[in-house]
Amino acid sequence: MKKSILFIINPISGGKDKKHFPSVAERYLDKDKFTPRFVFTARSGHAYELALKAVEEGTDFIIAVGGDGTVNEIASAVQGSRSAMGIIPCGSGNGLALSLNIPLNHRKAIERVNLLRASPIDTGILNGSYFFNMAGIGFDAHISHKFSNMTSRGFLGYVKTAFSEIVKYKSGSYRIEVDGKNYDRTAFMISIANSPQYGNNAFISPTALLNDGILDVCIVKPFPLALFPAVVLRMFTKTSQYSKYLEIIKGRNIRIVSYDHTRIHLDGEPGEAGKEISISVKPSSLSVLY
């Protein structure tokens, strides 16, 4: 019996035109296995609404065709249900897709969907909102806010924004509680990693696993500005964990009190959280094709 599959397409993610994506998918999707449908999003939050309706209708597979924000919206609707999610990566970072080794090429990504190979991954929860790849407070959250207002996006735009903002950014003071143990830290940023990387193969916590029921609290300590390129290089060489400027604490229940910064990001999407953040993990709650 054929499986129902819905492709939810963000037409503007990654600055790439996707009006022809349905014809590409029709060409390479295994029609003996699937009965496909295609829908384009029209606004922020629309992908979540469409995915939630598809879950309620009992759709077997719901595919995110977009970037990390689109993936987050759809995964937030699919997690905890009997539906499974797939990803056709089309964003600036594609963090979760790369962590799952999903090809960036559309044809190859669709061929992965044809394999019907799924695995459960964990869901992170921050003050009631979900994340699946990475959440954070501090510099990366600051950049996500700046980046969201840019008309020209993409990896190079992100890098340019980071370099222009770092010279004026001030580290913050935090009280961090992980599984009942307290830490007082001054931090440039704190990333909560469900996967090893932010995206673009920039690894903040190379030992993080998507399905271990644990989150990695990655505390990046203040460092001399001249060492910023070296800090970034460590991420791209999977050696971040060896830096004296990075501390990683693994845990399941996390509480962060910020004395300076209230901006956060969830899978790269900006938000506000107030002074106190509560974070937990929901193990093996989302089935993902890979």
Side-chain angles (χ1 to χ4, degrees):
M1 187 174 178
K2 289 186 181 182
K3 302 289 186 180
S4 55
I5 185 168
L6 173 66
F7 291 85
I8 298 177
I9 307 161
N10 183 337
I12 62 171
S13 63
K16 301 167 187 173
D17 183 9
K18 301 175 198 67
K19 64 183 178 183
H20 299 300
F21 176 82
S23 62
V24 174
E26 289 275 8
R27 189 181 313 153
Y28 298 115
L29 193 68
D30 189 338
K31 300 297 183 48
D32 292 330
K33 294 180 179 177
F34 301 105
T35 302
R37 291 187 295 135
F38 303 91
V39 62
F40 286 85
T41 61
R43 61 187 182 278
S44 176
H46 196 198
Y48 175 81
E49 296 168 12
L50 293 167
L52 193 61
K53 182 180 178 183
V55 167
E56 292 169 351
E57 292 171 346
T59 304
D60 296 306
F61 300 102
I62 302 168
I63 312 299
V65 184
D68 293 329
T70 307
V71 170
N72 178 279
E73 286 191 31
I74 293 171
S76 295
V78 174
Q79 65 83 32
S81 77
R82 298 180 65 179
S83 300
M85 187 185 78
I87 304 172
I88 309 296
C90 301
S92 302
N94 304 307
L96 186 59
L98 288 171
S99 294
L100 290 163
N101 294 313
I102 295 172
L104 299 183
N105 176 273
H106 285 183
R107 174 181 176 175
K108 292 179 180 178
I110 293 166
E111 289 171 347
R112 285 288 185 91
V113 170
N114 289 336
L115 297 177
L116 285 176
R117 185 175 63 191
S119 177
I121 69 169
D122 304 331
T123 300
I125 308 171
L126 189 154
N127 286 4
S129 296
Y130 299 119
F131 66 96
F132 303 88
N133 188 59
M134 195 81 56
I137 183 171
F139 184 70
D140 57 345
H142 175 73
I143 294 302
S144 75
H145 279 259
K146 292 287 184 180
F147 193 60
S148 67
N149 295 318
M150 291 176 59
T151 54
S152 177
R153 295 170 69 89
F155 177 65
L156 288 179
Y158 190 91
V159 171
K160 288 179 182 178
T161 304
F163 271 95
S164 66
E165 291 295 320
I166 193 172
V167 295
K168 47 192 175 181
Y169 182 80
K170 303 298 182 185
S171 296
S173 298
Y174 303 90
R175 163 63 63 91
I176 305 163
E177 179 184 312
V178 182
D179 293 342
K181 189 172 181 180
N182 290 316
Y183 308 83
D184 288 302
R185 296 289 187 270
T186 299
F188 176 70
M189 65 183 186
I190 302 172
S191 295
I192 313 299
N194 190 36
S195 91
Q197 65 165 291
Y198 291 116
N200 292 301
N201 292 312
F203 289 79
I204 183 66
S205 187
T207 63
L209 297 172
L210 283 163
N211 58 358
D212 60 357
I214 294 173
L215 297 170
D216 286 21
V217 183
C218 306
I219 305 165
V220 179
K221 302 172 185 178
F223 52 84
L225 186 58
L227 292 182
F228 184 50
V231 170
V232 173
L233 180 62
R234 279 197 174 274
M235 293 184 189
F236 286 100
T237 55
K238 294 188 182 181
T239 59
S240 295
Q241 71 271 37
Y242 303 121
S243 171
K244 67 179 181 180
Y245 297 109
L246 177 66
E247 178 182 7
I248 299 175
I249 306 167
K250 294 178 182 285
R252 293 177 172 84
N253 293 288
I254 301 144
R255 178 174 168 266
I256 300 174
V257 177
S258 170
Y259 300 106
D260 302 287
H261 301 295
T262 60
R263 286 180 167 179
I264 61 162
H265 78 86
L266 299 167
D267 292 332
E269 295 300 302
E272 301 281 344
K275 294 290 185 181
E276 186 169 327
I277 299 170
S278 295
I279 305 161
S280 59
V281 61
K282 189 176 177 184
S284 300
S285 48
L286 174 67
S287 181
V288 185
L289 297 170
Y290 68 99

